[in-house]
Amino acid sequence: MRANRYLRLTGAALLALTSAALTPWAWADAPPTPPAPGPGPGTPAVARAWPVGTHPAVLRGWEPPATVYGRGHRGVDLAAPAGTPVRAVAAGRVSFAGRVAGRGVVSVELTGTDLRTTYEPVRPSVRKGDEVEAGEPVGTVEATGSHCTVACVHWGLLRGDTYLDPLSLLPPWLLHRGPSRLLPVLGVPLPQPRTPRSAMATAASVISAGSSAAPSSIRRTAASTIP
């Protein structure tokens, strides 16, 4: 009996000691969750021109992949017939102009940023190291090498190895600008209709001839037509 009682007391003591040792850890505050990394640097709206045209149709937009090697669309496709001039959207320096996998590619590092734009398929008219201004041609759209169902140019934007949305380079006034409209001009007189030369010649001949056969109403009308 004494042995059993001793064992029970010993077990209870050990259990109490174990509980006391573990209690501080159990009731301690959980470690703070590390803050989520802040957003990366934004994309400055430094573009001053579209790569092609004045407001081309976007055939396919930017679709960032879920992973580095995942499926997606790393740029935007702009409708442009073969031979269309391709322009630098902002000032920069040409970092590449050549062929990649059979397609002509031009890449421009944008001045004052850590960004670079790419254009393909393009027949380059510039060389590596050339300085270009916004709106300056860098090549023309090639007839082959496009992944579009119709002729287009693929416009890309990268920061390092990370692809970004190229449309974010466009300021609102350029991104949302619609087609040109003719506005009314106030205060400018409208041009008056001119009498046809044939009528003026007839009137002049009638008056110069002084024909008495012509009715006076005709002579008055003819005289009123000459300015």
Side-chain angles (χ1 to χ4, degrees):
M1 296 291 294
R2 291 184 177 179
N4 293 336
R5 184 178 180 184
Y6 176 80
L7 291 176
R8 288 197 299 270
L9 291 176
T10 302
L14 291 176
L15 181 61
L17 290 175
T18 303
S19 176
L22 293 178
T23 297
W25 292 99
W27 290 96
D29 294 336
T33 304
T43 304
V46 296
R48 294 297 176 265
W50 284 85
V52 290
T54 56
H55 199 159
V58 178
L59 302 178
R60 185 179 179 185
W62 180 60
E63 301 169 9
T67 62
V68 176
Y69 301 104
R71 299 184 61 181
H73 192 234
R74 297 166 172 82
V76 296
D77 293 335
L78 305 177
T84 301
V86 179
R87 301 185 297 266
V89 298
R93 177 179 176 274
V94 178
S95 57
F96 180 84
R99 307 198 71 79
V100 176
R103 298 188 301 273
V105 179
V106 173
S107 179
V108 178
E109 297 176 348
L110 304 185
T111 302
T113 73
D114 57 350
L115 304 170
R116 69 182 186 277
T117 55
T118 60
Y119 314 92
E120 59 175 293
V122 173
R123 184 180 300 277
S125 60
V126 292
R127 295 182 298 178
K128 181 179 179 179
D130 287 350
E131 300 287 339
V132 294
E133 298 295 332
E136 183 175 344
V138 296
T140 56
V141 178
E142 289 187 323
T144 60
S146 171
H147 56 250
C148 303
T149 56
V150 297
C152 76
V153 61
H154 180 84
W155 176 28
L157 174 67
L158 296 97
R159 173 180 282 122
D161 295 329
T162 302
Y163 286 87
L164 306 173
D165 184 4
L167 296 180
S168 62
L169 288 176
L170 299 172
W173 62 267
L174 189 58
L175 178 62
H176 302 295
R177 184 174 64 186
S180 301
R181 295 185 302 164
L182 294 179
L183 300 178
V185 179
L186 303 178
V188 178
L190 296 175
Q192 298 298 322
R194 297 183 62 86
T195 304
R197 291 183 178 274
S198 59
M200 294 176 61
T202 302
S205 63
V206 171
I207 294 176
S208 62
S211 174
S212 60
S216 58
S217 60
I218 295 180
R219 292 197 298 271
R220 288 194 300 270
T221 302
S224 66
T225 60
I226 298 178

